[in-house]
Amino acid sequence: MAIRQIRKIGDSILKKTSKEIKEMTPRISTLIDDMLETMYNANGVGLAAPQVGILKRLVVIDVSENGDQPIVLINPVIEEAQGEQTGDEGCLSVPGKAGTVTRPNYVKVRALDRNMQPIELEGSELLARAFCHEIDHLDGVLYVEKVEGELKSSDSEA
Ligand code: NI
């Protein structure tokens, strides 16, 4: 495993649309491990492949307190969204900043796991926010485009 370099806002790759993953390969398996290591190393709760320069529809998330509940989503799609939450959000590609974003309070996501098996996951609150934020990355969207009001300085990143 290796820590990968996280692309920062202003890097044009963050605005591009990622491509679906058709099959698991040793390269993608290594990418998943590296993305998890990179996310934990940066104290983030989520990371999308374009953030490490790879335009593939792959995200990793861990919103658990101890960082021991990794979620790997390949080709994730939001199937259902309910309710609303408004709160602060950050991004490892936008270091030192946070901003208020309104997201669904509950989402259901369909994806493939790292064995390319279909999975369906539900999340509310922080996990719902993470699903939406990370899936946005796959479509070249950064949360800063959705911020209500000003971007603030912050030490907490997601
Ligand atoms: Ni992000």
Side-chain angles (χ1 to χ4, degrees):
M1 297 211 284
I3 291 168
R4 306 228 180 173
Q5 191 198 330
I6 298 176
R7 305 297 184 95
K8 300 296 180 339
I9 187 167
D11 189 320
S12 63
I13 204 158
L14 295 173
K15 307 216 92 174
K16 294 188 174 152
T17 301
S18 292
K19 290 204 170 68
E20 289 213 336
I21 293 174
K22 305 262 192 252
E23 58 174 352
M24 186 49 54
T25 62
R27 228 180 141 97
I28 291 171
S29 187
T30 299
L31 174 62
I32 292 169
D33 291 337
D34 288 355
M35 282 174 59
L36 284 165
E37 191 174 358
T38 303
M39 174 183 75
Y40 289 128
N41 178 66
N43 293 315
V45 299
L47 189 68
Q51 291 182 274
V52 293
I54 309 286
L55 289 171
K56 293 192 185 300
R57 301 190 81 82
L58 164 63
V59 310
V60 297
I61 291 171
D62 191 336
V63 297
S64 70
E65 214 168 293
N66 298 325
D68 56 2
Q69 289 168 47
I71 295 171
V72 175
L73 299 176
I74 294 169
N75 305 338
V77 176
I78 293 176
E79 259 190 337
E80 204 183 311
Q82 286 173 21
E84 225 178 65
Q85 56 174 320
T86 298
D88 274 359
E89 204 162 300
C91 179
L92 293 174
S93 293
V94 191
K97 301 284 182 192
T100 305
V101 183
T102 298
R103 299 282 192 185
N105 196 48
Y106 163 92
V107 295
K108 188 192 278 186
V109 174
R110 180 165 44 84
L112 301 173
D113 67 13
R114 66 181 302 165
N115 300 312
M116 299 300 276
Q117 296 304 306
I119 49 169
E120 212 173 57
L121 295 176
E122 296 175 297
S124 55
E125 298 171 12
L126 179 58
L127 184 54
R129 182 177 291 281
F131 283 148
C132 295
H133 177 115
E134 300 310 329
I135 291 170
D136 270 356
H137 274 298
L138 304 182
D139 294 314
V141 175
L142 293 178
Y143 83 94
V144 297
E145 298 170 39
K146 299 185 167 178
V147 160
E148 298 152 28
E150 305 267 305
L151 264 191
K152 302 170 274 193
S153 287
S154 168
D155 291 330
S156 73
E157 292 163 19

